[in-house]
Amino acid sequence: MKKKVIILATGGTIAGVGEEGKIVGYIPGSIAVDDLIAAMPKLKDVADIEALQICNINSDDITDKIWIRLANTINELSKDPNVVGFVVTHGTDTMEETAYFLNLTIKTDKPVVFTGSMRPATSISADGYMNLYEAVCVATSNEAREKGVLVVFSDCIFAARTVTKTSTYHVTAISSSGMGAIGIVRDGDVYLYASPSKCHTTKSLFDVKSIDKLPKVSLLYFYADADPGLLEYAAKSSDGIVIAGAGAGEFSESYKSIIEKFNIPVVVCSRIDGGIIFKENLLCDNTVAADNLSPQKATVLLRLALACKIDRQNLQEIFMKY
Ligand code: GLU
């Protein structure tokens, strides 16, 4: 019996349609997942494919509700012993946030592999088909089990926690900056060279079974002479704040004097790609260091921590662990 892989489609450029042969000016989330699969008959040689259209949108429109639905759907379907793994197709813009959310909330060791594309399906040399094929190959791989959520893009395998989008146009736009890929795919064969060490999936404490939305967290980017009024405004309508500070999570004296008075949690990251914030770097005692989590991923972890009622005093430990 062939292995069964479930493809959960959410839209993005991989399902994008534009002027035949062109790359720019297309509409993401236009092709139904069944049509994507039909255009890639080789997938059937790798696995029995079942497809679920979760939504068909531009990934900039992804919401907490879609994240929770994806996590709960995968948790339910993974109980089927015939299912060996999952592929999630997703727009590249926010793929890293959704992949990290699932990395923290799914309760299975079976591979869950994200993919997408930089060129719409109707362009010359569209990259989505190859990416989808390679993602299905990784989803069937025994070696890819217990690695947390993975992202397969342009022959490379990345871990959800460190993957990020690094270009607005290269076909290799999905990458891991300083951390690098943990494996590669070649002619459908999977080669893995590293394992993520931070807590994920079956060992993660985060459970969204009985949650239908996440608390609101605002992300503010510090820049020279930034208006501290933005902080006060954001704090009024947020349950938590993430700051993308300059350098090792720094900001101005005027920012500091406002942040010091906040009663809501404030997590400090770096606006630098590859920045790491240690507790020793913190300018305010009431803030939490994000380790090397990107600001956008820190919003995901903070929202989950708040949803799961993690105490303020345990927040720092959570940010070091996940
Ligand atoms: N903004 C679109 C999205 O994220 C296009 C980016 C992409 O899929 O590559 O869905």
Side-chain angles (χ1 to χ4, degrees):
M1 205 164 88
K2 241 190 289 170
K3 297 168 172 180
K4 183 161 144 191
V5 168
I6 300 181
I7 300 179
L8 302 115
T10 69
T13 303
I14 191 167
V17 169
E19 198 182 318
E20 201 59 43
K22 292 261 171 105
I23 296 176
V24 180
Y26 62 94
I27 301 173
S30 303
I31 301 179
V33 62
D34 290 335
D35 295 332
L36 261 190
I37 292 167
M40 193 64 196
K42 222 175 144 35
L43 291 180
K44 292 199 196 76
D45 299 341
V46 184
D48 279 333
I49 305 287
E50 196 179 302
L52 264 180
Q53 189 83 53
I54 296 289
C55 53
N56 210 359
I57 58 174
N58 182 328
S59 74
D60 301 304
D61 293 318
I62 283 283
T63 61
D64 53 352
K65 294 206 168 33
I66 297 173
W67 286 347
I68 292 166
R69 182 143 60 94
L70 268 172
N72 289 332
T73 304
I74 291 171
N75 285 338
E76 199 46 46
L77 296 174
S78 63
K79 291 178 190 154
D80 179 348
N82 296 319
V83 174
V84 297
F86 298 86
V87 169
V88 181
T89 59
H90 199 288
T92 55
D93 284 356
T94 64
M95 181 184 284
E96 58 204 86
E97 283 106 305
T98 306
Y100 185 52
F101 177 83
L102 292 188
N103 194 52
L104 298 171
T105 54
I106 57 162
K107 305 291 170 208
T108 177
D109 288 334
K110 295 178 183 178
V112 174
V113 185
F114 274 68
T115 199
S117 76
M118 287 303 288
R119 296 176 183 150
T122 44
S123 69
I124 295 170
S125 195
D127 52 330
Y129 300 109
M130 186 62 160
N131 284 345
L132 183 60
Y133 173 71
E134 293 187 338
V136 170
C137 293
V138 176
T140 63
S141 158
N142 239 330
E143 243 201 293
R145 290 174 68 104
E146 297 178 33
K147 300 283 186 297
V149 171
L150 300 172
V151 176
V152 167
F153 220 89
S154 290
D155 309 331
C156 290
I157 306 168
F158 302 98
R161 190 179 177 282
T162 47
V163 75
T164 193
K165 185 169 181 176
T166 56
S167 164
T168 56
Y169 62 95
H170 281 303
V171 280
T172 54
I174 296 295
S175 135
S176 254
S177 315
M179 295 293 160
I182 64 163
I184 62 159
V185 190
R186 214 68 193 142
D187 283 337
D189 294 327
V190 177
Y191 302 89
L192 276 154
Y193 301 101
S195 276
S197 61
K198 295 279 184 179
C199 200
H200 60 72
T201 58
T202 52
K203 297 203 170 61
S204 165
L205 68 80
F206 300 109
D207 193 337
V208 291
K209 199 155 74 199
S210 39
I211 287 175
D212 63 357
K213 63 178 181 353
L214 295 176
K216 195 172 156 191
V217 163
S218 297
L219 165 57
L220 288 161
Y221 193 100
F222 178 77
Y223 51 96
D225 207 21
D227 178 1
L230 289 173
L231 272 177
E232 282 169 324
Y233 176 80
K236 272 189 215 133
S237 60
S238 307
D239 304 299
I241 301 260
V242 173
I243 304 218
E250 302 208 19
F251 35 75
S252 60
E253 285 298 325
S254 54
Y255 254 51
K256 188 171 172 232
S257 61
I258 289 172
I259 291 170
E260 268 166 353
K261 293 192 202 102
F262 279 158
N263 280 322
I264 54 171
V266 179
V267 175
V268 180
C269 304
S270 177
R271 68 179 198 178
I272 299 175
D273 177 26
I276 302 182
I277 315 298
F278 300 108
K279 274 184 286 185
E280 294 73 13
N281 296 122
L282 294 173
L283 300 179
C284 306
D285 290 343
N286 61 334
T287 57
V288 170
D291 192 357
N292 66 343
L293 262 191
S294 67
Q296 57 272 31
K297 283 188 189 153
T299 67
V300 175
L301 182 53
L302 182 55
R303 293 179 82 183
L304 268 172
L306 292 171
C308 298
K309 312 263 183 279
I310 302 290
D311 286 346
R312 281 289 281 283
Q313 55 271 32
N314 294 326
L315 255 191
Q316 184 60 74
E317 200 192 314
I318 290 287
F319 271 82
M320 298 315 287
K321 190 168 173 190
Y322 291 92

